[in-house]
Amino acid sequence: MSTLYPQNNASRMTLDLGGIWDFRFQGDEAWQPIAVPASYNDQSPDPEFRNRAGIVEYRRKITIPKGWNGMRVCLRFDAVAHSARVLLNGREIASHRGGFLPFETELNGLLAAGETAELMVEADNRISHDTLPIGTEGETAFFGSDNPGIPAVEAGKKFQEDRGINRPAFDFFNYTGIQRPVRLTATPIRFIRDITLIPSLSGEVRYRVETEGEGADVCVEALDAEGKTVARCEGREGILAISQPKLWEPRPGTPYLYTARITYGEDLYEQPFGIREVRAEGTRFLINGKPFYFHGPCKHEDSPFHGRGTDPCLNVTDINLYHWLHANCFRTSHYPYAEEMYQLCDREGIVIVDETPAVGMWASDQYGWNLADYHKQVLEDMIARDKNHPCVVMWSLGNEPDTDTLPDKAYAYWRPLYETAHRIDPQNRPVTVVGCQNRYERDRVICSMDVVLINRYYGWYNLSGDLEAAKYAFRAELDWWEKQGKPVILSEYGADTIAGLHGAAPEMFTEEYQAAYYEAMNACLDERDFVIGEMPWNFADFSTCQGPMRVGGNRKGLFTRDRRPKMAAHYFRDRWEKM
Ligand code: GCB
């Protein structure tokens, strides 16, 4: 379902419902304060906040302003993790599955302008084989021992399963709650439901507008960055012809943005867009016909206090650190990010590989689970939400599924998703799924994508501490990929590094090792023309669940969690400045 990002303009209004709400675990009596939007998990020292699996309840009063009388009023959630039930005065008015994409529900007929009601949101943080991201069901935890012995298995059953301890099958903390903004929105009763823009380098921009309600005409104008009208068209479909178009280019080019100003009856919507084309061709990735080399660390939505909560200050800080690094891209590992981040990247010229929350699919029996339809739905919703962003140049169907144990089953699962993405994306962007370190010569999925994205940890999880051996092994693998004739991006590589831990000899966990590791891996990349990108793992240290391989979270950041550069950040800054 498409839901246009809320706007305030001459026709539309929004009321932000951010602030302090009431909160409790379902079944508890007392309410306590909680900040929205933010993950709830780090807002209390009570260990239940991080550990408890189940439903939490949020509540507050809402009032529709009197002045909104006669308008269509909606309640819009940018995301509630991982599923939500919404109640108004105790009656269910909406529900949604999936924690990283928006949903909205109309309030007309339920609550009149000037009236007040109690809004309650139930958010469920449980993850399983039926959710994206995936939770473990009976298996040992991510990075737990594969052979814990009988007493440990028994204890796990007795103490963990009974208490509903719910472990992620992925390496980031299972932050949840109302993590993104909630708003009341008002539009005219006759309104613009959706807009699709398909730009081309010639300056012709095909558009399609979906409306609700009869008896008005659609008019679309293209405005340049100064607000001057440069093209105009009438009707629900058409072509805006912009002469001498200024292109959207990733930095260090100019990310020039136009605005499509759509009017329909009393309604108005303004959709920024860029004129740019992307495609994969041979072993290259072309943006506006020019070869593009991806270089920038993968991210998480993660910070102290907020957890995964939307924080515009953090987003601006992070993007400015991307500029400081001379980085030009990131992958939204491992879920679609908040919409505000894509708007910022449109404006700042940072390229995004947009990823679904299909992460944790490393079990070889996963193709017997009932996920495909839901996965397709999430992919469709992500593309519907993000289709107009010039910064989005590629779709990632997911991260590190098992594709080599049962190669044919894996292919039968991933191929339809690949085809769906191509079919529904109006801009027909390249499609990929990120491959893990596996028996790549058996796999049929990764090498069938438009661009091959591989995560590799030679010199870390294997050949640990031995960078000469790591280079040898990585080169041997690259020899194989060279023969496949595809563009390849090293979409993750990294080494856990404790900021401030040093060693004259570069040993694992020291800042020196992290820098030496990247130098060694980059030397291998620099020898190959078909390698079209490098994405270090990760931009910053981030929170994970507890485990024997994680010291206060994952420490592979080029920056600490509070965004202080480690030596490797300086190394990349220097390397990327010269690119
Ligand atoms: C990976 C995963 C990522 C982990 C990373 C690591 O392959 O894609 O989610 O955080 O490795 O550090 O182990």
Side-chain angles (χ1 to χ4, degrees), residues 179-415:
Q179 305 188 120
R180 294 184 188 162
V182 187
R183 300 178 187 89
L184 285 172
T185 68
T187 62
I189 294 284
R190 222 168 28 182
F191 68 99
I192 299 158
R193 186 177 280 288
D194 196 20
I195 161 94
T196 302
L197 295 156
I198 310 165
S200 64
L201 298 186
S202 66
E204 290 200 342
V205 182
R206 281 195 289 138
Y207 73 85
R208 209 165 44 233
V209 176
E210 272 176 49
T211 57
E212 249 358 281
E214 300 297 311
D217 296 321
V218 172
C219 173
V220 183
E221 280 173 285
L223 312 179
D224 67 11
E226 277 76 52
K228 209 170 99 237
T229 304
V230 290
R232 190 171 182 285
C233 211
E234 298 206 343
R236 283 186 172 70
E237 282 186 42
I239 296 177
L240 294 158
I242 300 175
S243 63
Q244 293 174 314
K246 296 197 177 75
L247 302 185
W248 187 94
E249 303 252 319
R251 288 236 189 160
T254 312
Y256 193 90
L257 288 178
Y258 291 91
T259 301
R261 181 173 221 272
I262 304 116
T263 52
Y264 176 64
E266 310 70 30
D267 198 12
L268 163 70
Y269 195 82
E270 293 184 315
Q271 176 67 52
F273 70 95
I275 295 185
R276 65 104 187 81
E277 284 181 16
V278 292
R279 69 176 191 278
E281 196 182 82
T283 56
R284 295 183 309 173
F285 192 96
L286 305 175
I287 299 187
N288 299 338
K290 290 187 281 190
F292 181 72
Y293 189 82
F294 294 81
H295 55 93
C298 294
K299 275 185 107 301
H300 263 299
E301 289 185 318
D302 176 279
S303 72
F305 312 118
H306 297 249
R308 210 168 313 299
T310 301
D311 177 351
C313 170
L314 179 76
N315 284 350
V316 170
T317 304
D318 282 0
I319 292 306
N320 280 331
L321 288 174
Y322 272 68
H323 294 329
W324 182 85
L325 283 171
H326 306 283
N328 65 4
C329 71
F330 62 87
R331 172 165 65 106
T332 68
S333 37
H334 295 305
Y335 37 81
Y337 289 3
E339 289 149 279
E340 292 79 3
M341 190 52 148
Y342 300 73
Q343 294 162 1
L344 186 60
C345 289
D346 285 344
R347 173 175 170 171
E348 291 298 294
I350 298 290
V351 157
I352 286 180
V353 178
D354 205 3
E355 187 160 281
T356 76
V359 57
M361 298 179 67
W362 40 260
S364 57
D365 59 353
Q366 64 186 315
Y367 299 112
W369 306 345
N370 192 17
L371 267 176
D373 291 345
Y374 173 54
H375 194 161
K376 178 163 171 271
Q377 183 66 54
V378 171
L379 176 66
E380 287 172 353
D381 289 352
M382 177 176 89
I383 294 176
R385 190 193 73 161
D386 297 338
K387 64 188 172 187
N388 289 323
H389 287 290
C391 68
V392 174
V393 301
M394 181 153 46
W395 308 112
S396 163
L397 304 174
N399 182 66
E400 295 195 340
D402 180 318
T403 53
D404 60 328
T405 309
L406 302 167
D408 294 337
K409 280 203 171 155
Y411 189 81
Y413 181 92
W414 292 95
R415 193 67 196 174

